[in-house]
Amino acid sequence: MKLFIFAVGGTGARVLRSLTMLLAAGVRIPNCDQVVPVLIDPDTQNGDVTRAVALLKRYARIHEALYGDGQKEKTGFFSQPLNTLANLNTNGGAGEELRDSFVYDFGGISQPFRDYLKYNDLSVETQGLVDLLFTSDSLAANLDVGFRGSPNVGSVVLNAVVQSKEMRYLAQSLQDGDRAFFISSIFGGTGAAGFPLLVKNLRDTSGASSLAHPEVRRRLKAGALVMLPYFKLQEPSADEKAAGQDFIDSNTFITKTKTALSYYADNLQGLEALYYLGDQPGQPLANHPGRAEQRNQAHLLEMLGALAVPHFMEVPDNQLDGNQPLYHEYGLKSDAADVDFGQLPTDLRQDVARPLIQLHYFARYFLKHTPDDAKAPYYEAGDLAAQLRNNRALRELNDFFGEYNEWLRELGVNQRRYTAIRAEEMDFNKMVSDKTVETGIFSKGITPGFFRDELTKAVGKVTLKNPTENEALRWVVKAFEEATGEILDKKLQYS
């Protein structure tokens, strides 16, 4: 079974970033053989999108190195397969080839909205109608920075998605049992506009649609995560306004949300499940309408939103009915600024807490302690002196952990902070906020020495001899999987 995830706009990209971190920890998406992420944003330089794409590519390379040589996929770090539309090997493009990318290719829209509409070629009457529907600022806005919080502009431009070769590839590759999931904000431009259009056209089984497999698309089970306002943006200064500098007015987010929800209630069809998340905004973020500067810090709600994906995939087909969609909201146990694993429902705590703690212990030890373990038995058995110096796959893992650390740090600086794992804590006994390890005269708990001994036990007497880069990576990852699992069972007793 394939799961197509459409991450629309900057918010969609940020949720997908958090989902990738969960997958790296070993959180699996149930009943799913392949995840096919598709990021949709005409702003090809959007910092949120480019960062998410780079992370997805790195994850995919690590997964391929671990499992690509005929290794049986299983639970564990990086075990969920990711794929691109181009690699589905369909003939949906009718001879056209797709770029091997996680991003939908808009072909570079670098013109004002007025020119995109060919405004000057329109009749006087049509120009008058356009002037009624769009402000002068919207008409003058350059589309290569997205839609600047204007879904009415986005809905016009994103209609081009329907005729794209990406959609043809996707439709051609669909099989019974596959599912789709959409991630977008409701208060911005790209997400609010693109999400309903994608649903409508993917579901269109009329003769007017040129997409393949209409019956398969009709039976397709689809869900969506709709992000309500959860942040606000800084107000531009009077000088910035006077200079005509681009900005997004976050004071309109609530009004846009109400309007969109009213539209969804009357017009949005074709979904079996909808998930809604929102929160009171905290400290205003920098106001960057697009391009590389739009690179917002990770937020707790994006990580919680990512959990909607495995939740949706757990629901059996016979419980999903498009005529009576399931509606889901999520509430914390208390309105606390600091959110740890104790705030999660029991089932989520079991599925998420343990793998995230194991990933954190793995990342922390691998980055901070492994380079100093030259005389440790596990280090010598794996010839890590040479491997850490020359192995490109291990360098890829090292870089992924650097991005993980940045993601974790960002989650802890918002007004609603994720503090389940303390990003800056160096003591393994204190890294998990709701499960501090007891120490005393008889035990020092989880020390680097104890961790080192568990790694040595995990590798046993197996010694690597002239391994390939991928074999060495598998050896390291397996050792850390077993060692961190033993540490959690023996010392942290987290379940």
Side-chain angles (χ1 to χ4, degrees):
M1 179 189 295
K2 298 185 292 296
L3 170 64
F4 295 91
I5 300 179
F6 296 91
V8 191
T11 300
R14 292 192 297 276
V15 173
L16 195 55
R17 181 188 180 206
S18 284
L19 178 62
T20 306
M21 295 301 179
L22 294 174
L23 299 182
V27 176
R28 285 296 294 252
I29 298 179
N31 307 311
C32 180
D33 300 320
Q34 291 185 75
V35 177
V36 186
V38 183
L39 288 97
I40 297 177
D41 197 318
D43 181 2
T44 57
Q45 301 176 52
N46 182 296
D48 288 325
V49 174
T50 56
R51 179 172 55 181
V53 170
L55 186 70
L56 286 167
K57 289 180 177 178
R58 182 161 282 127
Y59 176 102
R61 289 193 294 267
I62 294 172
H63 172 84
E64 181 66 20
L66 288 171
Y67 303 103
D69 298 336
Q71 300 294 313
K72 187 177 180 180
E73 291 159 3
K74 58 182 180 61
T75 58
F77 300 132
F78 300 95
S79 57
Q80 181 74 56
L82 296 183
N83 212 338
T84 63
L85 280 176
N87 277 332
L88 293 180
N89 296 320
T90 72
N91 194 30
E96 300 171 295
E97 290 189 5
L98 290 184
R99 286 190 307 121
D100 187 15
S101 172
F102 291 106
V103 183
Y104 170 87
D105 185 5
F106 277 87
I109 303 175
S110 57
Q111 59 191 139
F113 184 47
R114 175 189 296 271
D115 294 346
Y116 181 86
L117 294 175
K118 296 182 173 57
Y119 181 89
N120 292 335
D121 297 334
L122 300 175
S123 67
V124 174
E125 293 80 6
T126 305
Q127 287 181 356
L129 177 60
V130 169
D131 291 339
L132 283 173
L133 294 174
F134 303 99
T135 67
S136 57
D137 286 344
S138 293
L139 289 171
N142 204 315
L143 296 176
D144 65 355
V145 296
F147 309 128
R148 300 193 310 164
S150 301
N152 53 334
V153 174
S155 63
V156 175
V157 178
L158 288 172
N159 264 314
V161 172
V162 185
Q163 307 299 329
S164 69
K165 56 186 177 183
E166 283 85 354
M167 287 297 289
R168 291 195 291 275
Y169 264 79
L170 187 151
Q172 186 66 38
S173 69
L174 281 174
Q175 298 173 317
D176 276 323
D178 291 346
R179 291 190 181 185
F181 197 84
F182 304 86
I183 304 172
S184 71
S185 71
I186 200 172
F187 55 91
T190 304
F195 156 55
L197 283 171
L198 284 166
V199 174
K200 175 184 176 183
N201 290 290
L202 191 61
R203 288 297 200 187
D204 185 2
T205 58
S206 69
S209 174
S210 60
L211 296 179
H213 301 322
E215 284 303 305
V216 175
R217 287 189 285 113
R218 183 180 61 81
R219 292 188 293 267
L220 179 77
K221 302 300 183 182
L225 168 67
V226 177
M227 297 295 283
L228 307 171
Y230 64 101
F231 63 83
K232 59 184 177 183
L233 303 173
Q234 295 172 355
E235 290 285 328
S237 67
D239 290 342
E240 289 172 332
K241 288 183 179 180
Q245 183 170 323
D246 285 343
F247 70 94
I248 296 172
D249 184 3
S250 58
N251 294 315
T252 65
F253 283 177
I254 297 298
T255 302
K256 290 176 180 177
T257 298
K258 291 179 179 179
T259 302
L261 286 173
S262 176
Y263 174 83
Y264 289 2
D266 295 334
N267 300 282
L268 183 60
Q269 298 177 343
L271 292 170
E272 281 74 29
L274 278 94
Y275 296 77
Y276 289 98
L277 270 180
D279 198 5
Q280 291 294 324
Q283 192 70 19
L285 304 177
N287 199 323
H288 297 300
R291 299 197 176 100
E293 292 81 9
Q294 187 177 327
R295 187 183 172 96
N296 294 337
Q297 296 189 120
H299 195 286
L300 170 68
L301 261 70
E302 294 154 8
M303 188 181 80
L304 295 176
L307 294 173
V309 178
H311 184 277
F312 171 68
M313 293 300 291
E314 281 184 328
V315 183
D317 280 359
N318 60 12
Q319 295 181 22
L320 294 173
D321 182 356
N323 295 318
Q324 294 181 317
L326 301 175
Y327 293 95
H328 302 278
E329 295 179 340
Y330 180 84
L332 297 173
K333 288 185 175 180
S334 63
D335 188 14
D338 294 335
V339 178
D340 59 25
F341 290 130
Q343 284 269 36
L344 301 180
T346 302
D347 56 341
L348 275 183
R349 198 159 58 241
Q350 292 172 340
D351 295 340
V352 173
R354 184 181 178 92
L356 281 175
I357 296 168
Q358 284 191 252
L359 180 71
H360 185 70
Y361 278 6
F362 182 7
R364 180 67 77 209
Y365 196 94
F366 185 77
L367 293 178
K368 298 296 183 182
H369 298 287
T370 295
D372 299 325
D373 280 351
K375 295 183 179 180
Y378 87 91
Y379 191 100
E380 294 178 342
D383 190 23
L384 291 187
Q387 294 299 330
L388 292 176
R389 185 172 58 250
N390 302 318
N391 189 319
R392 290 169 295 182
L394 284 174
R395 286 202 298 271
E396 196 85 75
L397 180 68
N398 189 85
D399 291 342
F400 188 97
F401 283 154
E403 295 187 47
Y404 160 79
N405 282 339
E406 181 66 14
W407 172 76
L408 186 65
R409 184 197 64 77
E410 291 173 4
L411 287 173
V413 299
N414 295 292
Q415 185 164 311
R416 185 81 69 183
R417 295 181 295 275
Y418 170 76
T419 58
I421 295 174
R422 299 185 174 109
E424 304 300 330
E425 180 61 63
M426 301 305 296
D427 186 342
F428 287 99
N429 299 307
K430 300 176 182 178
M431 287 179 183
V432 182
S433 62
D434 66 333
K435 195 70 174 181
T436 301
V437 179
E438 295 292 333
T439 59
I441 58 175
F442 297 109
S443 174
K444 294 182 180 179
I446 309 170
T447 63
F450 180 82
F451 206 130
R452 190 181 307 120
D453 291 343
E454 290 298 324
L455 284 168
T456 297
K457 292 178 186 177
V459 302
K461 296 182 180 180
V462 177
T463 301
L464 285 182
K465 295 181 179 179
N466 301 317
T468 65
E469 289 187 342
N470 292 354
E471 288 171 342
L473 177 68
R474 284 196 288 269
W475 189 89
V476 168
V477 170
K478 182 181 178 183
F480 273 93
E481 277 183 1
E482 293 187 12
T484 54
E486 287 295 310
I487 289 169
L488 262 67
D489 291 338
K490 292 178 180 178
K491 295 293 185 179
L492 204 61
Q493 298 174 349
Y494 207 106
S495 61

